[in-house]
Structures are given as structure tokens and as C-alpha cells.
Amino acid sequence: MRRRLADSITARLIKAMTTAQNDRAAWLKGGDAQCSIPACSTGTPRRLVLLGAPGVGKGTQAELIHERMGACQLSTGDVFRAAKSLCEGERSPAIAAALECMRRGELVPDNTVLQMVRERSKCVRCQGGFLLDGFPRTVAQAEALDRIFAENDIQLDAVLSYDLPIEKIVARLGGRRTCDKCKAVYHIETRPSQTPGVCDHCGGNLIQREDDRPEAVRVRMEAYERSTAPLADYYRRRGLLISVPAEGSPEEIFERTARSLEQRGI
Ligand code: AP5
């Protein structure tokens, strides 16, 4: 009886640990901010980059990898979107310009992105590992990231590159809804929330992103082809690239991801 009780408590603890949503305060707020849930990882911490076109599902996979493997999702897009909630006077000229780039669907200049990432380099040193989502996005950013890793004596485990035909990506972006509080990602058809318009995790409002308008999506896809797609070769040459077909449900893609990592002993 006592043994059964202990087993059930352990099972509940493991579930709480593996499904806990870290608030990512250290990453989203920068400076001295601390995350409310301490970093944890199941086994060895993973240090991964997620690559792929806008809307292919990187954020969705990052959330699943975080829940099941414990590393924290570090999305540069989320940091810029969080800066939107600052009032005009609190935004530096660089951040104001970055938000304008995002609205149009263009890439934010490398210097602004790199300064923002450097201010948060303690997240890269986090003992729970990390999932870099949306960074690096240019060869210059990838080279700068290599320098940050070298300075901190960190090795990248792998770069997961998600691939999907463009018409399917556009359909994913059209139905995307994002929580305005915890940034969880939903889709009105393929991943709806339990209550329409309300986040399952925190009760926040689900909103449509400004850069999911068709004209901004076109600019984002062009920027991806021009500046980000060459990164696949950059990481392939270093033996780090794992290509993952992004067809199918988020669960199926997660299984594919987990198998690919396991095959490499990651
Ligand atoms: P960022 O926030 O990084 O956006 P992105 O790369 O454009 O990627 P998304 O977040 O749009 O898509 P995703 O691949 O994460 O897909 P998701 O999981 O949401 O960047 C935004 C902007 O910030 C940039 O344009 C730029 O201006 C700036 N920026 C950021 N980083 C920068 C950098 N390093 N350098 C310069 N500028 C930078 O999925 C999409 C939808 O599909 C969701 O609704 C989801 O529910 C659904 N879905 C996911 N998987 C599936 C599936 N398997 N089946 C069906 N539906 C699915």
C-alpha cells in the first residue's frame, strides 16, 4: 500500500517536472531576471539549434522538446515580441527599429540581434541546456554564435532542420494563434485550445501575430531563402545538421526528432 502510494507520488512528480512550462524570464526579460522554475533536464542537457522556414513548426517542436527533454526554448522572435509591451519611452532606438523590421517581415539587423543574445548569454550556459529557435538566422549570426560558444566552452549537440513545402507552411501560418502572456502556440484547426481564444496553460488571450499578414509572410519567406537557408550548408559542413521532414502531426514530427537525436546518442 505504502509502496503504491510512493510510486504514484513519484509518477506525479515526474509528470509535473516533464510538463512544467518554464516562464523563461531570464531569456525574455534579460538583465538580472531569474526563471521561476529552475532549469531541469531529463538526463544529459541538450544544446540544440532549430532551423527552418517561418511557420514550419519550430516553436511547436521546441515546446514539445522542452516538455519531454527539459531544455529551454530560447526564441529571439519572442524576445522582440516581449519588447512590444514596453511603452514608447522605454524602447531604445535599436529596439524600436527592430520592431518596425519585424512588422514588415524583414530580418532585424545582425548587430541588434547579437547584442540582445550576448546580454542573455547566461541562458546559453544554463545547466538545463537550450533550444535556440530563430537564431542564428544569417551566416554572420552563426559565426558570432560559434564565438559565444567558444568563450563559454560550450559544444553544440546538433542543428535540427525542419523541411516542408511552402504551400503547407503558409496554411500553418494562416491559422496560428499565440498566447499573449506565455507565448504558447496553437492552430485553429490542427492544434486548437480547449476554450476558443483562451490559452490552456495560463488562461491568456490567443492572438494572431502582426507578421502573419500575407504581405509580411511573403517578405519573411524571401528573407529566409536569401539569408537563412544557406545555414543548412554551414552546419552540414560541421557535421551537426539533422534534416527532419516536417510533414504530419506535431507528435509525429516530435517522434521523428527524438529518434534522430537518439540515433546520434544525443
Ligand atoms: P520568429 O519569431 O523567429 O518567427 P519565424 O522564424 O518566422 O517562425 P515562426 O515563429 O513564424 O514559426 P515556427 O516555425 O516557430 O512555427 P510554429 O511552431 O509557430 O521571428 C519573427 C521575426 O523576428 C522575424 O521575421 C524577424 O523580423 C525577427 N527575428 C527573430 N529572430 C531574428 C534573428 N535571429 N535575426 C534577425 N531577425 C530576427 O507553427 C506555425 C503554426 O503551424 C502554428 O499555428 C502551429 O500550431 C502550426 N503547426 C505546427 N506544427 C504543425 C503540424 N505538424 N501540423 C499542423 N500544424 C502545425
Side-chain angles (χ1 to χ4, degrees), residues 55 58-60 76 81 106 134 137 141 176 186 190 220 248:
K58 302 178 296 294
T60 303
T76 38
R81 278 184 289 279
E106 295 163 8
R137 236 176 170 105
Q141 290 181 17
R176 170 166 56 190
Y186 298 84
T190 58
R220 285 162 69 196

Side-chain angles (χ1 to χ4, degrees), residues 126-149:
C126 178
Q127 57 179 0
F130 58 77
L131 308 166
L132 279 171
D133 169 10
F135 176 83
R137 236 176 170 105
T138 63
V139 171
Q141 290 181 17
E143 289 168 345
L145 182 63
D146 285 346
R147 289 194 288 276
I148 294 176
F149 288 154

Side-chain angles (χ1 to χ4, degrees), residues 9-31:
I9 290 171
T10 312
R12 266 185 284 146
L13 272 175
I14 289 172
K15 185 167 189 297
M17 238 175 80
T18 52
T19 59
Q21 269 276 340
N22 192 307
D23 66 358
R24 298 181 296 157
W27 177 254
L28 293 177
K29 294 181 187 159

Side-chain angles (χ1 to χ4, degrees), residues 115-129:
Q115 188 189 336
M116 188 269 279
V117 172
R118 282 195 173 277
E119 283 166 3
R120 290 162 172 78
S121 59
K122 73 172 177 191
C123 291
V124 175
R125 294 192 297 273
C126 178
Q127 57 179 0

